[in-house]
Amino acid sequence: MNWIRNIKSNMNSWAILSIVFIILILLPNLSIIFQFFSEPNENWAHIREYMLNTYIKNSLILVVAVGVLSAIVGSSLAWIISAYQFPLRNFFQWGLILPLAIPPYIGAYTYHGIINYTGVIQTTLRNQFGVTVDQQYFDIMNMPGTIFIFVIFLFPYVFTITKAFLARQSTSLIENARLLGSNPWKIYFKIVLPLARTSIVAGVSLVILEVLNDYGVVKYYGIQTFTTAIFQTWFGLGDLASAIKLSGTLMLIILGLLIAERVLRGRKRFSFTTTKVKLLKPVQLKGVSKWVAFSYATTVFAVAFIIPFIQLIYWATLTYEQFFSEDLLSVIGNTIMVALIAATLITIMAIVISNFSRLHRGLTAKLFPKVTILGYSIPGAVIAVGIVTLFIGIDKFMYQNTLVSSYVLSTSIFMLVFAYVVRYLAVAYNSIESGFERIGTSFTEASRILGQNITKSFFKVDLKLIRGAIFGGFILAFIDILKELPLTLILRPFNFETLATNAFQYASNEMIHEAAVPSILIIIISAIAIYFFHHVLERE
Amino acid sequence: MFVHIRDLQYRYSNSDHLTINKFNLTINKGEITTILGESGSGKSTLLRLIAGLEMPSKGNIMVGDDCMCSQSKFVQPERRGIGMVFQDYALFPHMTVSENIKFGLVKWSRKDKKARLQEVLELVNLEGYEKRYPYELSGGQQQRVALARALAPKPKLLLFDEPFSNLDADLQIKIREELRKILKTTGVTSIFVTHDQEDAQALADRIVILRGGEVSQNGTPEEIFGTDCDISDRIAVKPRVLSRT
Ligand SMILES: Nc1ncnc2c1ncn2[C@@H]1O[C@H](COP(=O)(O)OP(=O)(O)O)[C@@H](O)[C@H]1O
Ligand SMILES: [Mg+2]
């Protein structure tokens, strides 16, 4: 009776908790998949006939254009900064990650505010130079404008991953090429791009997932995508069933993209040739090329961070009395509270699942990490659809069996927290998993042989050794939740505002100045975390 | 018979052949057994099976009067009372020498812990190093801490996974003699894994030669390498047993 023994000896509290967590994560996704195949209604026929093509076309244009452009901007900056020395290079190392602190929807309304008729550019032109421009050329609320916004605020994903890769890469190839005297362009296209392909694709896939997740930018700029369509059918038409069908379609598209990513990455996921790390030594640039590199980095930094940030500060000074309003304080309190609770839950679940899967052999242990990534690949609006149907189902069941007197779950903050957990588990998981990978299993094994069980070993040994990774994972999840928009808009209880929904709603109501204060708070908290994170990583 | 392993079989889930096959071994109490085999022959895997870090697909393991593993039973490593010195020592980097050594003394009183700490420190000749952290010790000292840590809880059986492979040659010979003395003083039964014939000869009461996961020879050092060589000669002996056939 071998298998009974095997199951019995593998069934510890870590295994049981992991299984429970994984089932919780899967439930909302399953609830979409089941209902995806239900009988369609008239709305759906109409949507499929007249609108689905537009959604698919717009979403694909965005994905392709933003993917390609952010790959170019991100990888070229990563290359310049890894390989060359020029003024302010050390600052740009982490400065160019800062645009991530500005959520694209905030960037979107800020740039609209800068460029439109009453914005700083046009007013200056009119008042100082008496020039009135053709509005047609000063409109950002269109497809190219949307692409621009996504690229400048999302390219750092490609930049950081590629830069980290280039830093670890055994450098002989690049150095040889450089010594051979080929010009930088040639090196970039012939060597860096193919060599760093894996990490560029990894970065671009994060960018694409963000683009598909976005609701704020496309809604504000009036671009019809899947996400806006889900919102519209659900809240505009009150048709949850069709929203589910849209969500299922989007999940299929994402599945296709993820498979494409696998193929593009190639078989080798990590192409380190040697384990010995030789740091890439930057070459001092001289003359014109020094200033070209400097101007390129500076321009990107200005456009993607400084300009919108200064504009927001200026607007905030116009409405600073709001700083002290009680409303704002309660919004800050709400935001930090849900983010803390959800990030803590996420961290605990990530620790449990990753510890389980590293200490056990077998199929389940291998599949669990894949499930944690699921939520991160699926847009917030889709997760929201899944979770609402799930919770309403549970509520209905409890109500009909008179366990409760009204729908409690689907009207509570619990639903929102649960959604954050499903969506951002992967963020903390990746960080914690890499921490575990760094220490390996031998300390745990030594501890167990010395008489401590898995749980005691975890608290006495593993936890102490991966504190940094755990904290890092917590911070990353916290920041993502702080900025989150589509899930929060859909799932928050009545009258519950976070900084993100607050900013977005002011902006949607054309109260851009009022939107500035919550926006700046989000940016500053995120920027501090990024700075901190970059330095923790640097030291480790 | 103190240790009794019968018909042990194991295969890694991602491997297509048996890593350990039809492995049988019996050991008397207090004996030092060396398992000699080329790299990749399954030595580490075997130790991991005995320690309970892997679960065999077949076979029984008995230590003392306790069944550790059979078709219907599997004792978790923390409950086996078996000690192990790892190839890379696996000293906890965030603990001092004394914390490392006291780690396995679960449920001992404070006083007993302290007394035991002094006892094993003396045994491995490391008095005065209690407060150091592992990274503040040399390779040889780290190894002795690992030994002290494994000995401290008085294990029924002590396993060594190529404990000398990280030391330079001079130190290796010195520590090897010391180790045999320590093991004989404490009288602990031990299994010692190596790919180095000299190590095996210098330490073992009994040598088992492992090839491709199966026992290919089993006997005293004299039976295996012949009686005609004394210790000093052994160093010159060609590793004929290990040369590929
Ligand atoms: N975790 C593992 N997964 C799959 N195969 C393994 C694993 N560890 C070891 N092996 C394989 O099992 C065989 C025996 O390995 P090992 O016991 O480490 O040998 P030794 O310690 O004698 O060098 C080798 O072929 C090795 O590649
Ligand atoms: Mg080995």
Side-chain angles (χ1 to χ4, degrees):
Chain A
M1 290 297 94
N2 229 330
W3 59 273
I4 297 186
R5 176 199 73 175
N6 294 0
I7 290 179
K8 232 166 65 185
S9 56
N10 276 319
M11 262 312 139
N12 49 46
S13 40
W14 295 81
I16 294 166
L17 279 178
S18 295
I19 292 168
V20 171
F21 291 160
I22 290 294
I23 291 174
L24 283 177
I25 302 289
L26 281 174
L27 277 178
N29 297 298
L30 292 176
S31 102
I32 290 182
I33 292 170
F34 280 136
Q35 297 179 64
F36 182 63
F37 297 104
S38 66
E39 211 44 47
N41 58 21
E42 299 142 41
N43 274 342
W44 178 243
H46 178 80
I47 291 169
R48 219 177 60 179
E49 186 89 5
Y50 300 105
M51 291 146 86
L52 196 57
N53 281 339
T54 314
Y55 305 152
I56 292 181
K57 194 185 88 201
N58 283 345
S59 291
L60 283 184
I61 290 176
L62 278 177
V63 161
V64 171
V66 175
V68 169
L69 291 175
S70 59
I72 293 171
V73 176
S75 66
S76 59
L77 283 169
W79 162 239
I80 290 174
I81 281 182
S82 312
Y84 301 107
Q85 186 63 260
F86 56 90
L88 284 188
R89 168 190 174 262
N90 287 343
F91 165 75
F92 287 129
Q93 294 240 36
W94 69 272
L96 284 172
I97 311 175
L98 277 181
L100 276 190
I102 304 182
Y105 58 90
I106 292 179
Y109 76 71
T110 310
Y111 264 104
H112 173 63
I114 292 174
I115 288 172
N116 72 9
Y117 188 76
T118 53
V120 57
I121 296 181
Q122 293 205 35
T123 5
T124 313
L125 286 176
R126 270 198 309 275
N127 299 346
Q128 310 292 323
F129 305 99
V131 181
T132 305
V133 296
D134 185 348
Q135 291 307 310
Q136 191 188 329
Y137 300 114
F138 278 74
D139 179 17
I140 194 174
M141 299 176 95
N142 47 32
M143 186 55 101
T146 312
I147 293 169
F148 166 79
I149 293 290
F150 281 133
V151 170
I152 62 170
F153 294 113
L154 296 177
F155 83 87
Y157 284 116
V158 183
F159 171 74
T160 35
I161 297 180
T162 311
K163 184 165 76 76
F165 173 82
L166 290 175
R168 278 177 318 207
Q169 187 58 33
S170 151
T171 54
S172 48
L173 211 58
I174 296 173
E175 270 176 356
N176 282 342
R178 214 153 51 182
L179 289 178
L180 288 176
S182 1
N183 70 20
W185 292 104
K186 249 193 184 153
I187 298 179
Y188 176 69
F189 283 109
K190 289 257 154 72
I191 295 173
V192 178
L193 274 186
L195 194 71
R197 186 187 68 177
T198 314
S199 45
I200 295 174
V201 171
V204 167
S205 66
L206 286 180
V207 170
I208 287 174
L209 291 178
E210 288 292 331
V211 169
L212 289 175
N213 175 57
D214 172 78
Y215 171 69
V217 179
V218 288
K219 168 77 179 151
Y220 194 73
Y221 282 10
I223 306 289
Q224 283 281 355
T225 64
F226 262 99
T227 326
T228 57
I230 291 171
F231 269 77
Q232 228 162 38
T233 23
W234 192 357
F235 299 107
L237 303 174
D239 182 0
L240 183 55
S242 297
I244 289 171
K245 295 222 179 273
L246 282 171
S247 302
T249 316
L250 183 49
M251 278 168 83
L252 283 179
I253 293 177
I254 286 173
L255 191 71
L257 287 172
L258 290 179
I259 291 170
E261 189 230 346
R262 271 294 142 83
V263 176
L264 277 177
R265 271 196 190 185
R267 267 168 51 80
K268 268 194 288 178
R269 297 195 64 184
F270 302 100
S271 46
F272 308 119
T273 39
T274 52
T275 45
K276 201 149 182 92
V277 177
K278 215 171 83 190
L279 288 180
L280 185 59
K281 265 202 230 79
V283 173
Q284 181 70 52
L285 283 180
K286 295 198 182 67
V288 180
S289 48
K290 177 167 88 176
W291 296 109
V292 170
F294 172 75
S295 321
Y296 179 37
T298 309
T299 309
V300 173
F301 181 66
V303 170
F305 189 77
I306 290 294
I307 292 174
F309 189 63
I310 289 177
Q311 176 67 79
L312 282 168
I313 298 244
Y314 172 70
W315 286 337
T317 58
L318 300 179
T319 56
Y320 70 95
E321 306 92 49
Q322 279 211 348
F323 249 115
F324 307 102
S325 79
E326 236 165 75
D327 273 358
L328 188 69
L329 281 182
S330 95
V331 168
I332 295 173
N334 279 344
T335 311
I336 291 180
M337 182 194 66
V338 282
L340 271 183
I341 294 173
T344 308
L345 288 175
I346 284 172
T347 308
I348 292 170
M349 288 170 71
I351 289 173
V352 169
I353 299 172
S354 57
N355 199 33
F356 164 75
S357 69
R358 89 188 171 113
L359 292 180
H360 291 78
R361 295 192 195 289
L363 195 63
T364 27
K366 293 228 174 59
L367 283 180
F368 281 10
K370 308 257 183 303
V371 176
T372 63
I373 297 167
L374 198 64
Y376 198 70
S377 322
I378 297 175
V382 177
I383 292 179
V385 170
I387 285 181
V388 164
T389 49
L390 175 71
F391 275 56
I392 288 182
I394 298 174
D395 265 349
K396 213 184 246 168
F397 176 82
M398 294 201 299
Y399 184 71
Q400 280 163 357
N401 292 283
T402 59
L403 296 170
V404 289
S405 54
S406 65
Y407 283 16
V408 281
L409 282 180
S410 51
T411 51
S412 72
I413 188 81
F414 181 70
M415 194 160 70
L416 180 60
V417 170
F418 183 66
Y420 287 147
V421 170
V422 172
R423 172 128 174 89
Y424 292 118
L425 181 60
V427 175
Y429 189 89
N430 282 342
S431 171
I432 291 169
E433 188 186 45
S434 65
F436 272 136
E437 266 165 20
R438 214 178 40 240
I439 64 168
T441 51
S442 63
F443 296 122
T444 320
E445 289 174 351
S447 163
R448 292 192 69 194
I449 283 178
L450 288 164
Q452 314 280 356
N453 62 27
I454 294 182
T455 308
K456 284 196 185 128
S457 300
F458 173 75
F459 284 107
K460 287 189 169 181
V461 179
D462 305 316
L463 179 63
K464 305 259 165 65
L465 297 177
I466 60 160
R467 265 188 311 213
I470 291 178
F471 192 58
F474 174 85
I475 294 282
L476 286 179
F478 182 85
I479 294 304
D480 268 338
I481 295 168
L482 191 79
K483 300 189 295 192
E484 210 289 330
L485 188 63
L487 274 181
T488 320
L489 278 178
I490 300 177
L491 297 176
R492 68 202 164 127
F494 185 65
N495 265 347
F496 184 90
E497 294 276 350
T498 66
L499 286 172
T501 60
N502 210 233
F504 182 70
Q505 250 145 20
Y506 277 130
S508 309
N509 297 334
E510 296 302 328
M511 295 165 75
I512 285 185
H513 299 178
E514 284 77 2
V517 173
S519 301
I520 283 180
L521 285 174
I522 292 176
I523 293 169
I524 289 177
I525 299 175
S526 309
I528 290 172
I530 286 172
Y531 174 80
F532 170 82
F533 203 74
H534 186 76
H535 279 243
V536 168
L537 279 184
E538 206 83 314
R539 250 181 285 137
E540 274 191 359
Chain B
M1 291 297 122
F2 186 69
V3 176
H4 197 107
I5 300 172
R6 219 182 59 216
D7 201 22
L8 204 61
Q9 190 186 77
Y10 183 76
R11 188 171 66 84
Y12 283 102
S13 53
N14 54 355
S15 156
D16 53 3
H17 64 277
L18 295 168
T19 308
I20 298 292
N21 192 16
K22 293 185 219 136
F23 184 90
N24 289 288
L25 178 66
T26 53
I27 302 175
N28 293 318
K29 201 165 168 60
E31 228 174 35
I32 303 174
T33 303
T34 294
I35 292 170
L36 183 60
E38 286 172 11
S39 153
S41 57
K43 306 181 299 290
S44 299
T45 308
L46 183 63
L47 287 193
R48 294 174 61 80
L49 285 164
I50 299 173
L53 295 172
E54 309 287 350
M55 202 184 292
S57 42
K58 248 201 203 159
N60 300 343
I61 300 173
M62 297 270 298
V63 178
D65 296 325
D66 304 318
C67 170
M68 294 295 168
C69 179
S70 68
Q71 284 308 90
S72 58
K73 188 173 177 190
F74 182 82
V75 180
Q76 295 292 339
E78 60 266 23
R79 319 200 54 173
R80 291 196 175 196
I82 294 176
M84 182 153 167
V85 176
F86 289 81
Q87 192 162 4
D88 57 359
Y89 314 142
L91 295 176
F92 304 126
H94 61 299
M95 295 183 192
T96 60
V97 168
S98 78
E99 285 166 341
N100 262 287
I101 293 175
K102 287 196 273 190
F103 189 87
L105 304 180
V106 194
K107 290 184 187 147
W108 288 42
S109 75
R110 274 179 73 95
K111 218 178 94 216
D112 291 348
K113 273 190 197 175
K114 222 172 132 190
R116 184 64 182 155
L117 173 66
Q118 286 313 319
E119 220 171 271
V120 289
L121 278 176
E122 208 172 305
L123 199 63
V124 300
N125 241 323
L126 271 181
E127 297 112 310
Y129 286 87
E130 294 90 328
K131 293 265 153 18
R132 298 259 190 116
Y133 281 92
Y135 63 86
E136 298 170 321
L137 299 173
S138 72
Q141 290 167 331
Q142 287 183 11
Q143 211 225 358
R144 285 188 240 187
V145 177
L147 175 61
R149 184 177 72 176
L151 279 171
K154 302 192 174 161
K156 289 184 277 195
L157 173 66
L158 193 51
L159 311 174
F160 293 86
D161 193 351
E162 311 215 17
F164 306 137
S165 57
N166 288 330
L167 302 177
D168 47 40
D170 292 351
L171 207 55
Q172 186 173 343
I173 292 168
K174 185 167 158 275
I175 287 195
R176 178 160 87 190
E177 323 262 84
E178 243 180 63
L179 179 65
R180 186 173 163 91
K181 226 183 300 164
I182 292 171
L183 292 180
K184 285 300 171 190
T185 321
T186 54
V188 62
T189 313
S190 41
I191 301 177
F192 179 98
V193 147
T194 183
H195 67 271
D196 183 324
Q197 192 188 335
E198 293 163 24
D199 281 350
Q201 282 178 298
L203 267 161
D205 296 323
R206 173 168 291 276
I207 295 179
V208 174
I209 293 177
L210 190 68
R211 191 175 283 166
E214 298 184 38
V215 177
S216 88
Q217 271 180 288
N218 180 345
T220 61
E222 287 74 23
E223 283 166 5
I224 287 185
F225 298 111
T227 43
D228 54 337
C229 51
D230 59 36
I231 297 281
S232 57
D233 280 348
R234 284 179 191 174
I235 289 160
V237 169
K238 275 252 156 58
R240 57 192 155 127
V241 182
L242 290 182
S243 58
R244 286 177 186 276
T245 47

